Amino acid sequence: MNTLEEMTKEIIIKALDRASGCHAPDEYIFDITAEDLDFNSGLNETVKTGETNFEDLWEEFKKQESSVNWILCQLAKDESLQVFGSGDGGLQEMMDHLDDNEVLYGIFKVNAFNKAGTCTSVRERFVFLTWVPDGASVFARARVATHKQVLLKRLQTYHAEMRADSKDDITREDIVKMLDRSCGSHKPQKYIFGPGDEIVCSEE
């Protein structure tokens, strides 16, 4: 490029897409910083069972501009999905709502953040959680494998999967390792798990 007029957003996006290969982000944002990401513009409270339809909530969750960043649900005997809770407070808020006596299935967002000059890239990564606490009934635990497959077929979109028997099993470090594997060589500068909750990645 020889002039500023030649440096258009379209040209920059094409160059970044070529560098990203198959890991190109859904959207490039040119004029925000990490601090501009708004996690608190929506619900600001959890949704309890029966107050919303799972399919509607899932469609809202998938929108990049949505404030909903976690959902917990259960599968009934007729394989209908019941919302156990949802919110906009990130991973920690979801963990606070895990029930030690209930098998639950959760999905939450982690934002992969990169900034180079004036170009900011935020890629949403969906992590699927199977929560099987020791306090859950034997019958509920026995149905986990079948129920999980039913739910995953409905979700279709997720980037990593984990199972936990206790909250100690859910660590940000393990989640980062899983997401790094899905990113290949295009690792982000940081992962953002919710308001004020982030991990800066190693440059190695």
Side-chain angles (χ1 to χ4, degrees):
M1 296 181 187
N2 299 314
T3 66
L4 290 175
E5 286 73 18
E6 294 180 81
M7 192 181 297
T8 65
K9 291 182 179 180
E10 289 75 16
I11 290 175
I12 294 171
I13 288 172
K14 287 180 181 178
L16 291 171
D17 279 348
R18 284 196 296 270
S20 299
C22 62
H23 299 286
D26 300 323
E27 180 181 4
Y28 290 103
I29 305 173
F30 288 83
D31 56 356
I32 68 167
T33 66
E35 288 70 26
D36 293 322
L37 295 175
D38 185 4
F39 293 96
N40 300 299
S41 60
L43 298 179
N44 288 319
E45 60 182 25
T46 56
V47 178
K48 298 304 181 182
T49 304
E51 291 183 3
T52 191
N53 175 273
F54 174 82
E55 301 300 335
D56 292 340
L57 186 59
W58 173 237
E59 290 304 313
E60 176 64 23
F61 174 91
K62 290 188 292 183
K63 297 177 183 176
Q64 191 166 37
E65 69 275 11
S66 173
S67 63
V68 180
N69 53 27
W70 65 270
I71 302 172
L72 288 174
C73 61
Q74 295 174 302
L75 212 60
K77 291 181 180 179
D78 62 357
E79 296 191 348
S80 64
L81 279 168
Q82 298 177 339
V83 176
F84 188 84
S86 68
D88 59 5
L91 174 62
Q92 187 57 56
E93 184 179 65
M94 186 194 74
M95 289 176 62
D96 291 341
H97 286 81
L98 293 173
D99 192 312
D100 290 334
N101 299 303
E102 298 285 349
V103 170
L104 299 171
Y105 304 91
I107 189 157
F108 59 94
K109 291 179 184 178
V110 180
N111 286 302
F113 177 88
N114 273 299
K115 184 175 178 65
T118 60
C119 181
T120 300
S121 169
V122 181
R123 291 173 290 166
E124 292 184 333
R125 291 291 176 259
F126 299 169
V127 181
F128 179 79
L129 168 69
T130 304
W131 172 248
V132 191
D134 291 337
S137 69
V138 174
F139 181 64
R141 294 167 63 88
R143 292 182 297 171
V144 167
T146 301
H147 280 185
K148 186 182 79 169
Q149 293 307 313
V150 171
L151 182 54
L152 288 179
K153 286 181 181 179
R154 297 191 188 183
L155 297 181
Q156 296 183 338
T157 303
Y158 64 98
H159 302 93
E161 178 185 346
M162 63 190 306
R163 173 175 171 141
D165 302 319
S166 72
K167 292 181 182 180
D168 291 338
D169 296 333
I170 307 172
T171 71
R172 287 155 182 78
E173 291 75 17
D174 286 342
I175 295 169
V176 166
K177 289 178 183 177
M178 288 189 295
L179 293 176
D180 273 352
R181 287 195 292 270
S182 71
C183 289
S185 60
H186 303 286
K187 295 179 175 59
Q189 294 166 343
K190 67 173 71 174
Y191 286 105
I192 304 172
F193 294 85
D197 184 2
E198 60 186 45
I199 286 184
V200 177
C201 300
S202 169
E203 294 182 0
E204 297 180 1

